[in-house]
Amino acid sequence: MYESLKKRFTDQFGTKPGFVFSAPGRTEIGGNHTDHQHGCVLAGAVNLDTVAAVARSERGAIRVLSEGYPLCEVSLSELEAVPAEAGTTKALVRGIAARFAALGHSPMAFDAYVTSTVLPGSGLSSSAAFEVLIGVILNHLGSCGLTAPEIAQVGQYAENVYFGKPCGLMDQTASAVGNIIGIDFADPAHPKIQPVAFDFASCGYSLCIIDSGASHSDLTDCYAAITNELKAVCRVFGKEALRDVPEDEFYARLGEVRQAAGDRAVLRAIHVYEDNKRVRLQLRALENDNFPAFLEYVKESGDSSWMYLQNVIPEGRTARQEVAFALALAKHLLGGHGACRVHGGGFAGTIQAFVPNEQLEEFRGGIEAVLGEGSCHVLSIRPEGGILAEVCSHD
């Protein structure tokens, strides 16, 4: 299965790999931008992954060659953050190795050749899959014994502190753990993970991710504005995260919050409160095999993201509003059936749709006729998270 990948490793590094590792992309099913506020999410690992052929190294460095990109090399003797590396692969690798060291584990040197079907900017979290992949490699090579949620936390640390993106923990957790899970981040150091035994296909629906055609690459300020505005709300109450601000107290002091943080911040906070409750309702609907109710909550979450969270159209954009257009097109093609919503961070990337199987081909054809061939991805849930996929026979 991995013969081509292993050959490319050998061609590039001049030796044979000892292992193949894999980490999946993820789809956010419920809870949009709630994780960084210590909220609740519903997420699933998907059958698109980032894969690496790996060999131990004596060079004292981690070398990662991702297909189509220059070689990334990080010396294990230089693990302090480098501000000039912010936003780069090197920052992620250095940050993950540094976190392993801070946790008392000596990061091991290795070479890796990486390929991915989780396309950058796709909204399926290619960055989290990469972070989990590097974390799983270091965890295995060093026999460190970190759990999947702990590997997720290492990835988040690297992305927050070294890469410079203020992400929550949902993406990494979903990739590291696998399957469909409910996650409660009330205690971010020890998130509560609830496995969900549910098969969307059993309900006669397909899970589709539609590429809007716009990249996330220049939108870090848009994502940072969400967390910064929610922090402004929290400061009114002397708290760090919205989960620690009782909803009734928020509404009791609404005028004061508007004055301090502004109306958009208030609307975004309302979205977080409501989406946290919706995640619990979605979990209950799936547990009770009530898929029609689940779809209604998907629609409600999508409406809330657009109206209150406001992560569908980047600020100031008029002529190009790709996510909004993709949502309008999907809603038209669904014709009142199924559901669609903005997916993941928003502003660009992808939308999500639950499509009745009898409409799937017509739906996909309609999407791709406008947004381009290959823009509609029909996905399935992957049971495994980040894993050692193969031990090569010669190692």
Side-chain angles (χ1 to χ4, degrees):
M1 175 178 180
Y2 297 113
E3 294 310 309
S4 175
L5 174 69
K6 291 186 285 187
K7 183 181 183 302
R8 280 175 278 177
F9 176 96
T10 300
D11 290 344
Q12 294 295 329
F13 292 106
T15 186
K16 292 183 178 180
F19 313 92
V20 176
F21 294 87
S22 166
R26 70 92 186 98
T27 182
E28 171 201 286
I29 301 169
N32 194 213
H33 279 279
T34 53
D35 56 339
H36 52 71
Q37 297 304 307
H38 301 178
C40 300
V41 301
L42 182 62
V46 298
N47 61 327
L48 299 175
D49 64 349
T50 299
V51 186
V54 174
R56 300 179 190 273
S57 170
E58 301 299 326
R59 298 175 63 91
I62 294 172
R63 295 193 299 171
V64 178
L65 183 58
S66 296
E67 190 165 40
Y69 294 89
L71 178 71
C72 165
E73 182 168 350
V74 172
S75 170
L76 293 177
S77 64
E78 301 173 1
L79 296 181
E80 293 295 320
V82 179
E85 289 179 355
T88 68
T89 298
K90 189 174 282 191
L92 292 176
V93 173
R94 195 183 304 277
I96 292 166
R99 191 59 180 162
F100 268 83
L103 293 171
H105 306 289
S106 296
M108 305 296 289
F110 65 86
D111 294 333
Y113 188 90
V114 177
T115 64
S116 184
T117 54
V118 189
L119 299 176
S122 67
L124 296 169
S125 204
S126 58
S127 58
F130 179 81
E131 292 155 20
V132 168
L133 182 75
I134 300 300
V136 169
I137 294 169
L138 286 173
N139 196 41
H140 177 82
L141 296 183
S143 301
C144 302
L146 269 63
T147 65
E150 288 170 339
I151 290 172
Q153 290 167 339
V154 168
Q156 183 202 25
Y157 171 86
E159 190 158 348
N160 288 173
V161 178
Y162 280 64
F163 188 85
K165 182 177 179 180
C167 69
L169 189 54
M170 177 191 70
D171 296 350
Q172 294 86 351
T173 304
S175 178
V177 174
N179 217 334
I180 303 175
I181 52 174
I183 316 169
D184 188 336
F185 290 112
D187 179 1
H190 304 94
K192 293 181 180 178
I193 297 172
Q194 178 182 342
V196 181
F198 193 85
D199 180 9
F200 293 119
S202 69
C203 294
Y205 281 80
S206 292
L207 169 61
C208 296
I209 299 296
I210 295 106
D211 187 352
S212 72
S215 170
H216 288 106
S217 60
D218 61 344
L219 295 171
T220 297
D221 289 348
C222 290
Y223 303 124
I226 293 176
T227 56
N228 289 340
E229 289 175 18
L230 291 172
K231 284 179 183 177
V233 171
C234 293
R235 280 196 296 270
V236 175
F237 303 90
K239 303 296 183 182
E240 292 296 320
L242 203 60
R243 182 66 174 266
D244 300 321
V245 179
E247 187 177 1
D248 56 355
E249 188 175 346
F250 166 79
Y251 278 105
R253 298 173 63 182
L254 201 55
E256 182 183 351
V257 178
R258 287 184 70 198
Q259 186 68 29
D263 284 348
R264 188 171 70 172
V266 168
L267 292 171
R268 285 174 161 169
I270 289 171
H271 163 82
V272 172
Y273 282 120
E274 294 301 319
D275 238 27
N276 276 331
K277 288 183 280 190
R278 265 188 291 270
V279 167
R280 299 186 186 98
L281 293 170
Q282 285 179 301
L283 282 166
R284 187 168 69 186
L286 293 179
E287 288 168 350
N288 294 334
D289 202 24
N290 188 350
F291 200 68
F294 168 81
L295 289 176
E296 288 303 313
Y297 299 133
V298 171
K299 294 175 187 176
E300 289 178 10
S301 177
D303 289 344
S304 178
S305 291
W306 197 327
M307 291 189 296
Y308 301 137
L309 184 61
Q310 299 180 40
N311 69 331
V312 170
I313 302 171
E315 187 172 1
R317 297 277 180 91
T318 54
R320 300 196 66 82
Q321 300 183 0
E322 291 93 341
V323 173
F325 176 80
L327 285 167
L329 177 61
K331 187 174 181 180
H332 168 73
L333 292 170
L334 285 169
H337 304 288
C340 62
R341 66 192 280 270
V342 64
H343 182 248
F347 299 112
T350 58
I351 68 168
Q352 180 186 75
F354 292 93
V355 183
N357 286 340
E358 61 270 19
Q359 293 181 235
L360 179 59
E361 289 311 311
E362 183 178 357
F363 178 86
R364 179 159 53 182
I367 290 289
E368 297 192 349
V370 178
L371 297 181
E373 185 176 353
S375 58
C376 182
H377 305 276
V378 182
L379 303 180
S380 60
I381 298 298
R382 166 169 146 160
E384 307 89 6
I387 57 169
L388 169 61
E390 182 181 308
V391 178
C392 304
S393 58
H394 62 273
D395 188 85

